[in-house]
Amino acid sequence: MPELPEVEVMRRKIETHSLNKVLQSITVHDGRIEKGMPAHWQSFFVKNNLIETRRIGKYLFLRFHDYWLHLHFGMTGSVVFTTNRDEIPQYTRLTLHFDNDIHLNFTDPRTFGKIDMVSSVDSFANGKKLGKDLMEATESDAIKLFSNKKISLKAILLKQNIISGVGNWLADEALFRAKLHPATPGMALTESQMVAFLSTIQSVAEEAIAADTHYGNFPSHFFTNYRVEDKPCPSDESAKIQKMTLGGRATYFCPKCQKFPG
DNA sequence: TCGCCTGTTCGGCT
DNA sequence: CAGCCGAACAGGCG
């Protein structure tokens, strides 16, 4: 489910349920999720407090003592809390058992999700060449993101190396709201349009966070609910939603509301 | 049975 | 180096 808003919603829930709680034990239900982890990775986390959480883009980090447990949710990863350790939600790959009888289940049908351990979130982000989190991005980041870019706005937004956190639905939602054609080259925007567009993307993300959004449960006025080919446009019913592929992803837009420039 | 899918990485091309 | 594409990862769902 997870683009920036969903991951931020998860981060807040984890803080609500588990901040400053002791991690009693860990159950690995599907070994694939811990692939690449050191053999005794659990010992770095178990019996320690959850001290703080961080999120950069779609990447979530939980700090226990000296190490951060990094959760990446892939396409279908999510967090489901239970209060009974015998109640294991479907597709649970990993469970963190806290001492307040809260069980944090990492569920993931498609198993593209991964965990990892890092000693520094910042070095992780540098190594990954991860850009600044969308919600922290400034006007100068917006200009850096779009200037001199021949590639489409959609493809630019999906790259995580200048501004991170935007995924497929958030990109389409923001492009629709900004009335920009997804194939518009970045360099076709004026600097003030670049700044305004970043602000639109941030607003969409803020609204989604405030609405506790998870994939498949968007606020009813969101364009994302209309991301179906040939469905009437929610703003102009005489137009039909079109589908194209950009940046390797299915992209939906309204050809009347979102004109290609020129 | 087939094609589609919220993310990311990689190789190969132009 | 920039850009683009397809494939791969895996499995549920219509």
Side-chain angles (χ1 to χ4, degrees):
Chain A
M1 322 184 124
E3 299 181 22
L4 182 149
E6 296 104 311
V7 177
E8 176 61 16
V9 167
M10 289 182 221
R11 190 190 69 77
R12 293 180 186 188
K13 283 189 180 148
I14 290 171
E15 287 218 342
T16 300
H17 291 300
S18 303
L19 193 62
N20 298 318
K21 306 300 178 199
V22 175
L23 178 60
Q24 291 284 39
S25 61
I26 299 170
T27 307
V28 176
H29 302 274
D30 184 328
R32 287 174 296 181
I33 199 169
E34 60 177 356
K35 195 180 163 199
M37 292 288 265
H40 302 292
W41 69 270
Q42 295 191 18
S43 63
F44 293 93
F45 297 97
V46 166
K47 306 299 178 198
N48 287 307
N49 273 350
L50 175 58
I51 298 169
E52 60 178 315
T53 69
R54 275 190 72 185
R55 181 191 54 71
I56 303 179
K58 307 166 190 172
Y59 297 80
L60 183 60
F61 304 87
L62 311 180
R63 183 176 161 219
F64 297 87
H65 199 55
D66 288 338
Y67 283 93
W68 298 83
L69 184 64
H70 161 41
L71 307 181
H72 190 61
F73 296 102
M75 295 278 261
T76 55
S78 191
V79 161
V80 179
F81 293 97
T82 55
T83 53
N84 172 356
R85 71 173 295 143
D86 297 324
E87 180 196 343
I88 301 160
Q90 197 176 18
Y91 310 122
T92 297
R93 309 300 178 192
L94 176 85
T95 307
L96 306 181
H97 304 283
F98 287 91
D99 69 348
N100 57 345
D101 286 326
I102 292 283
H103 309 279
L104 188 166
N105 303 285
F106 187 137
T107 64
D108 187 10
R110 278 174 75 182
T111 66
F112 286 180
K114 282 280 178 297
I115 60 169
D116 188 12
M117 61 186 280
V118 297
S119 52
S120 158
V121 172
D122 292 329
S123 347
F124 170 86
N126 290 339
K128 207 93 172 171
K129 297 193 173 14
L130 205 54
K132 198 180 282 185
D133 184 75
L134 169 70
M135 305 315 276
E136 316 268 297
T138 62
E139 297 189 353
S140 63
D141 294 319
I143 292 166
K144 187 175 163 195
L145 181 65
F146 298 116
S147 293
N148 304 316
K149 295 281 172 42
K150 292 177 195 166
I151 61 171
S152 66
L153 294 177
K154 175 68 182 268
I156 292 170
L157 293 179
L158 293 179
K159 291 182 179 292
Q160 306 293 303
N161 56 358
I162 296 178
I163 291 179
S164 66
V166 180
N168 208 20
W169 74 255
L170 180 51
D172 280 7
E173 186 74 39
L175 285 159
F176 178 77
R177 199 175 293 198
K179 299 193 185 303
L180 291 168
H181 191 292
T184 308
M187 61 197 301
L189 302 186
T190 64
E191 289 200 352
S192 65
Q193 283 178 312
M194 295 174 189
V195 169
F197 185 34
L198 173 64
S199 169
T200 300
I201 307 166
Q202 289 171 328
S203 300
V204 173
E206 270 168 26
E207 283 175 36
I209 293 165
D212 273 350
T213 290
H214 54 87
Y215 197 80
N217 176 32
F218 298 97
S220 59
H221 66 283
F222 268 34
F223 174 71
T224 303
N225 299 311
Y226 301 84
R227 283 175 84 245
V228 178
E229 196 170 15
D230 293 332
K231 202 166 175 170
C233 167
S235 292
D236 181 344
E237 300 215 337
S238 70
K240 284 185 175 177
I241 300 303
Q242 277 188 12
K243 180 184 179 186
M244 67 189 297
T245 299
L246 285 173
R249 315 302 296 189
T251 299
Y252 297 84
F253 67 104
C254 170
K256 278 180 92 168
C257 301
Q258 299 165 267
K259 298 275 194 210
F260 192 79

